[in-house]
Amino acid sequence: MLQAYVMNDSKKPSLGTALLLALTIVLSAGGNFLLSSGMKQVGSVEASPLLAVVRAIGHAIGRAEIRVGILALLLWFICSLVVFSRIDFSYAQPASAVGYALVAFLGYAVLGEAVTAARWVGIGCICAGVTLIGRTPPRTTA
Amino acid sequence: MRTTVCLSIVILAGTGGELLAAHAMKQSARLQVISGSAVGTLLQRAFRLGPMWVGLMLQALAFFTFLALLSWADVSFVVPATALNYVVGAAGSALFLREHVDRTRWAGVLLVCVGVAVICASEL
């Protein structure tokens, strides 16, 4: 099993790796979405004075949304590292860009944000790009 | 000139840091094959390797340079421009990690790069 783990020359990543990659995308999109949503409720943070910035950060960290967002991004970082150990960086890095599309979709579906034509074009390009990358072997090194 | 230098640092240090972290994780995974240990040990071993720490420092440098860059450059230029990370990432993978980036993968990377730039530009 470990041999198969290292020398995975198949056209598709293993189920475990695919799930881990999907998890990194969801954690990144979800974490950024929660941070963005939480910070919008905290309000605009002025760059000065320093004490006001520290108070605003303290207030932000006190919010459950922000804490869950930070936890999600921490888990995203760990999962990304594990993904990098399993498949090519040139496969995993662009594939994770699906998160941009997911955030745009979450904004549209959950927050009722307007999605412009340009944004749909961007989402289309990312999906087409990721589909092309998905047609290449996930691991090309021993 | 200042903007070009800082943007280059953001892209090169950010992607370079990720590439070094990926390199450390791959090295750690090779060690894991011998002992067959769990994910926790894989990470523990990776964090004992120099490239991981250099990678983290480069990512920190990229982050703070990005913040500094935003203090004078237009965000509508800076954020979409950082989509070049994907192109630099693919080139770095081929050069330093010896990955085989074929034409299909390059086409996919370029499409993703354009898509991210378009989304970022439309959000500003």
Side-chain angles (χ1 to χ4, degrees):
Chain A
M1 192 183 90
L2 285 169
Q3 190 69 15
Y5 165 81
V6 174
M7 299 296 288
N8 184 2
D9 288 330
S10 65
K11 282 275 182 187
K12 301 269 175 213
S14 67
L15 181 64
T17 306
L19 286 174
L20 204 57
L21 186 58
L23 187 63
T24 62
I25 293 164
V26 171
L27 285 171
S28 166
N32 284 317
F33 181 77
L34 284 169
L35 284 186
S36 165
S37 171
M39 286 309 289
K40 273 178 187 161
Q41 287 173 38
V42 168
S44 176
V45 178
E46 297 300 326
S48 63
L50 188 62
L51 191 62
V53 177
V54 173
R55 272 197 197 131
I57 291 172
H59 181 53
I61 290 174
R63 296 190 66 84
E65 260 175 319
I66 301 279
R67 277 187 294 200
V68 176
I70 290 170
L71 182 67
L73 290 177
L74 194 65
L75 285 172
W76 159 79
F77 178 69
I78 292 166
C79 289
S80 300
L81 289 178
V82 178
V83 166
F84 290 157
S85 75
R86 294 184 174 193
I87 56 175
D88 284 356
F89 180 80
S90 58
Y91 185 99
Q93 190 210 24
S96 64
V98 169
Y100 283 94
L102 193 60
V103 168
F105 180 75
L106 280 174
Y108 169 73
V110 180
L111 299 179
E113 290 176 356
V115 179
T116 61
R119 212 178 288 184
W120 284 122
V121 169
I123 290 170
C125 283
I126 290 174
C127 292
V130 172
T131 306
L132 274 181
I133 291 160
R135 293 172 71 148
T136 63
R139 184 155 190 173
T140 59
T141 54
Chain B
M1 180 66 182
R2 184 174 59 155
T3 304
T4 310
V5 169
C6 285
L7 188 62
S8 302
I9 292 173
V10 170
I11 293 168
L12 294 176
T15 312
E18 282 188 301
L19 283 166
L20 281 169
H23 174 68
M25 288 305 291
K26 283 182 203 300
Q27 273 191 320
S28 177
R30 276 192 207 112
L31 294 170
Q32 193 198 17
V33 172
I34 300 163
S35 65
S37 48
V39 168
T41 313
L42 176 79
L43 289 166
Q44 220 176 10
R45 282 185 177 146
F47 277 95
R48 281 191 201 136
L49 298 170
M52 175 63 87
W53 290 103
V54 178
L56 287 177
M57 281 190 279
L58 281 176
Q59 287 184 61
L61 171 70
F63 176 72
F64 290 113
T65 309
F66 178 73
L67 289 184
L69 186 56
L70 287 178
S71 69
W72 72 78
D74 285 348
V75 75
S76 57
F77 162 72
V78 175
V79 175
T82 55
L84 281 172
N85 276 333
Y86 296 103
V87 177
V88 175
S93 304
L95 282 171
F96 303 114
L97 301 179
R98 303 280 171 214
E99 291 177 6
H100 176 64
V101 184
D102 60 14
R103 272 185 286 185
T104 309
R105 194 176 285 185
W106 267 118
V109 167
L110 291 174
L111 269 172
V112 166
C113 183
V114 169
V116 171
V118 168
I119 287 183
C120 291
S122 75
E123 282 178 1
L124 301 167

